[in-house]
Amino acid sequence: MRLAVVEDDDGVGDALVEALNARGYRAERIRRGADLLIAHRGYDAVILDLGLPDADGLQVLRQLREVSAIPVLILTARSDERSIVRGLRGGADDYLVKPPRIAELMARLETVMRRAAVAAQPTRADVVTGDVRVDLAARVVEVAGTPIALTQKEFELVEVLVERPGAAVSRQQLMDRIWGDAFVAVSRSLDVHMTGLRAKLARPGLITTIRGYGYRWGQ
């Protein structure tokens, strides 16, 4: 697997490349965001710093997302909640604060790649999680074999969440996809429909709330 390590600090960048290569990856160092935008097709995943010499990493991420779905793990010194939320909403698959523990970095990278592989598979007609079955073609949700009566909006919530089981979906994405509007006016509607959906499914833990970000279907 070829990894692009986008990091302008020589000490950090070289150490990361060495550690990744020692664990079987083919990591290469990139110092500028512009270089990543030119060369991203040659890599399988990206580890992206936000403090780059030619552009802010969040802007680089936005530009990259316009042309590519390559997995991106942000690795940065910025630990404030605003930066984390902006990074995840901007299209990052995960966010890790420096200095990283190498074992944790490897685990997060593996998880990001596994989710990307699942997302790349052909869309499934059925999604089964425990005793909950979602038939996307028939627009039916069954719990322990019993069909559950969902409203249109409740099913649309399920539909978006099960596209990538185990992956985080932001509130903004849900509101954009279902209501076509990510502003505060529909935020309360999302909360009401999510509460109703959870009550009907009656499976605590099936839909996990990610504080300050959104929701996740399954584990």
Side-chain angles (χ1 to χ4, degrees):
M1 182 190 303
R2 291 191 65 193
L3 301 179
V5 178
V6 189
E7 170 64 65
D8 69 317
D9 183 286
D10 289 336
V12 174
D14 291 345
L16 277 174
V17 167
E18 182 178 353
L20 289 164
N21 286 340
R23 288 161 176 80
Y25 293 98
R26 294 172 56 198
E28 297 178 5
R29 175 89 176 283
I30 296 178
R31 291 173 172 78
R32 301 168 66 250
D35 295 333
L36 172 65
L37 295 174
I38 293 171
H40 67 87
R41 291 180 181 83
Y43 298 97
D44 300 302
V46 177
I47 296 176
L48 177 66
D49 185 23
L50 297 184
L52 301 175
D54 61 328
D56 184 84
L58 291 173
Q59 176 61 34
V60 173
L61 176 61
R62 283 192 292 271
Q63 291 177 267
L64 180 63
R65 280 293 171 253
E66 292 177 2
V67 296
S68 174
I70 186 172
V72 176
L73 188 157
I74 289 176
L75 178 61
T76 180
R78 299 182 197 174
S79 59
D80 60 288
E81 183 178 8
R82 182 169 182 268
S83 292
I84 295 171
V85 171
R86 287 181 67 197
L88 292 171
R89 283 182 174 169
D93 296 273
D94 205 345
Y95 193 110
L96 191 59
V97 177
K98 295 177 181 177
R101 291 174 292 188
I102 296 300
E104 180 182 4
L105 175 62
M106 297 300 141
R108 286 177 179 261
L109 188 59
E110 289 167 6
T111 299
V112 163
M113 293 302 300
R114 186 164 58 248
R115 288 175 178 168
V118 170
Q121 294 175 357
T123 303
R124 295 171 290 177
D126 287 359
V127 178
V128 178
T129 308
D131 65 351
V132 178
R133 174 177 171 268
V134 180
D135 185 334
L136 294 168
R139 298 181 69 82
V140 171
V141 176
E142 296 178 352
V143 176
T146 302
I148 305 299
L150 300 182
T151 67
Q152 179 180 335
K153 287 289 189 286
E154 288 168 349
F155 185 84
E156 288 174 355
L157 281 173
V158 171
E159 194 172 26
V160 176
L161 290 170
V162 301
E163 284 180 356
R164 296 176 61 196
V169 180
S170 73
R171 290 176 61 87
Q172 181 176 357
Q173 288 174 301
L174 287 168
M175 290 187 287
D176 278 341
R177 291 278 300 275
I178 297 169
W179 283 272
D181 188 343
F183 292 99
V184 177
V186 298
S187 182
R188 179 57 180 161
S189 293
L190 172 59
D191 294 333
V192 171
H193 284 87
M194 184 62 73
T195 298
L197 174 61
R198 282 171 157 164
K200 290 179 180 179
L201 293 174
R203 290 295 182 270
L206 177 62
I207 301 175
T208 304
T209 298
I210 302 174
R211 187 175 179 83
Y213 183 68
Y215 304 93
R216 179 176 59 241
W217 180 277
Q219 300 298 319

